[in-house]
Amino acid sequence: MSKKFPENFVWGSATASFQIEGAAKQYGRGLSIWDAFCDTPGKVESGHNGDVACDHYHRFEEDVKMMKELGLQAYRFSIAWPRIQPDGKGDINQEGIDFYNRLIDCLLEHGIEPWVTLYHWDLPLPLQIEHDGWLNKEIVERFEKYSRICFEQFGDRVKNWITLNEPWCAAVLGHGIGVHAPGRISTSEPYLAAHNMLLSHARAYRVYKSEFAHQNGTIGITNNCDFRYPLTDKAEDIAAAERSMEFFLAWFADPIWKGDYPAVMKEYVGERLPEFSAEEKQEIFGSSDFFGLNHYTSMLASEPTEDDKLVSDIAGNGGMIDDQKVALSNDPSWDKSHMQWNIVPEGCRDLLKWIDARYDRPIIYITENGCACDEPTEEAADNDLMRKNYYESYLRESRKAIDAGVDLRGYFAWSLMDNFEWSFGYNRRFGMCRVDYETLERKPKMSARWLSQTIAQNGENI
Ligand code: GBH
């Protein structure tokens, strides 16, 4: 079955500021919670940090040229809030504005469409230390001001905005099990952080729609979701899989597309789940022009039995992720990536259909999808068949979803190049281009060449 993707389908790649920029302590950038997390012993493998990363700050022109050569049509990157406002409030750091202006202009000169994420986890450190970061409702106003600066400075040229990247990760990994910055471990803070993230997202959306309507752009949120298949066809397991999806994705998507948190979360989380006022519900409802989706993997879900390990046992942490009362397991037939995440292409199709059905056929963009491979040598990277097969199979299943009526409009591969993989440091490689961390040279891998050919024929080869 060889068939093109829909006309105007957007083909791009994605990165995030902290993961690639480097120049972390230069040009007026303030510190972020990730700089502090990296400096906390034991939090990041090999003691790696973002000081140099891929040195994209100094090499962005080369990177844009590489994208152009690969035929990528769009580039999703994030703005480092502490580069714009070093302490998260008040004064603008002009050097930061200048940097993103150079990057945006360079992309446009090369005919590549910028897709800009306002927040990909690098919160200005003073907001955390002095104001408790996402746990304090004040953040809504701070994020509003920061977003306004970005729309003012870049909105004449940037027409595609993403407010937050993966609030689930920031809430659960950052405030539940403590494996991401700010490293907090709690059974209630994730719900509070998530709540304030949703309010902040909605506020930025409203500011854009009311004050910057003349810029004629679109703005949405990107959520991440791993798909859950029921372990058996028993009713309890089917219910467990559905509940797991609600705790993963509907937690963030229901308030926006339906007006409130899912009933099952209210029931299972109880008082720890904050409530939206009527006014807040209104502000949040409908606050995304598209459904940004980051998707990587799937697992099996079941009603826990007495011998089952709950999610938190698997992660090695007690806590809030047990609230959903779901046991997770793997199908032994599934291959695994270097992250040990299952490679399940049909999960991508079924997730797209799940979103389509639950949220009444929203416009969807896959804003991240990709695979870490063990690539100790340049030769290994040059033969990244596993990644090429990953992209191809996930795209094939995505097209099946499109054929079934899902309004999927674009695909951004994670990632343009190897980069700082959070708590794994530089020990995991997600790039379609290799980065040699000694020389900082970039080199497209086989998967990049394959994607390039795919883009040239709008997916007809898949
Ligand atoms: C994204 O998050 C981030 O946006 C990006 O910055 C990051 O570099 C990239 O992915 C790669 O990690 O342990 O088998 O249960 C990924 C979100 C959430 C996907 C947790 C995998 C756990 C799989 N991830 N999920 S498993």
Side-chain angles (χ1 to χ4, degrees), residues 19 120-121 165-166 168-169 224 226 294 296-297 299 339-341 368 414 421-422 430:
Q19 295 179 271
H120 198 127
W121 309 349
N165 178 69
E166 302 190 348
W168 181 93
C169 285
N224 61 303
D226 303 348
N294 291 355
Y296 291 87
T297 187
M299 272 189 141
M339 296 298 278
Q340 301 309 318
W341 298 347
E368 281 180 31
W414 184 271
E421 179 50 34
W422 306 112
F430 271 91

Side-chain angles (χ1 to χ4, degrees), residues 20-34:
I20 65 163
E21 283 181 5
K25 289 158 190 159
Q26 290 176 277
Y27 312 113
R29 177 185 177 278
L31 293 176
S32 78
I33 55 173
W34 267 96

Side-chain angles (χ1 to χ4, degrees), residues 91-309:
D91 289 351
I92 293 180
N93 169 41
Q94 190 57 41
E95 280 179 288
I97 303 281
D98 294 346
F99 167 66
Y100 293 109
N101 275 333
R102 291 197 296 275
L103 172 59
I104 291 164
D105 290 344
C106 185
L107 286 164
L108 293 173
E109 276 160 28
H110 288 81
I112 299 169
E113 208 186 351
W115 283 61
V116 177
T117 306
L118 291 169
Y119 184 76
H120 198 127
W121 309 349
D122 38 6
L123 188 77
L125 187 57
L127 289 188
Q128 187 70 46
I129 293 176
E130 295 162 23
H131 302 275
D132 288 341
W134 294 106
L135 297 172
N136 184 339
K137 217 173 192 171
E138 261 182 30
I139 189 99
V140 179
E141 212 177 294
R142 310 249 185 249
F143 188 71
E144 170 187 335
K145 291 188 170 143
Y146 158 63
S147 304
R148 186 180 285 109
I149 295 171
C150 293
F151 302 144
E152 266 163 10
Q153 300 284 338
F154 312 121
D156 55 335
R157 288 151 295 149
V158 172
K159 301 299 165 190
N160 303 282
W161 294 97
I162 292 166
T163 54
L164 304 178
N165 178 69
E166 302 190 348
W168 181 93
C169 285
V172 174
L173 307 180
H175 296 80
I177 62 176
V179 299
H180 277 193
R184 301 194 56 87
I185 299 176
S186 161
T187 54
S188 58
E189 289 181 2
Y191 299 110
L192 182 56
H195 195 75
N196 290 329
M197 284 189 253
L198 279 162
L199 290 167
S200 302
H201 149 78
R203 181 64 61 80
Y205 179 90
R206 298 298 165 201
V207 164
Y208 187 68
K209 290 290 159 174
S210 58
E211 298 170 31
F212 299 90
H214 59 278
Q215 291 183 349
N216 274 319
T218 58
I219 179 166
I221 190 169
T222 277
N223 283 301
N224 61 303
C225 188
D226 303 348
F227 193 65
R228 306 300 192 213
Y229 285 106
L231 175 65
T232 72
D233 54 15
K234 277 193 250 156
E236 309 90 270
D237 291 346
I238 293 172
E242 185 67 8
R243 189 162 70 245
S244 184
M245 292 295 292
E246 292 182 284
F247 267 82
F248 213 131
L249 186 56
W251 177 8
F252 297 94
D254 272 22
I256 298 173
W257 277 271
K258 289 174 178 291
D260 202 358
Y261 290 123
V264 70
M265 287 192 71
K266 294 186 184 177
E267 185 188 334
Y268 282 50
V269 181
E271 284 183 339
R272 287 172 296 137
L273 188 71
E275 283 176 29
F276 294 116
S277 70
E279 225 171 283
E280 289 168 345
K281 281 183 192 167
Q282 238 186 345
E283 188 165 355
I284 294 176
F285 181 63
S287 64
S288 198
D289 295 338
F290 55 84
F291 200 111
L293 176 68
N294 291 355
H295 174 68
Y296 291 87
T297 187
S298 298
M299 272 189 141
L300 301 172
S302 52
E303 174 74 20
T305 63
E306 276 185 12
D307 333 306
D308 261 326
K309 283 186 178 303

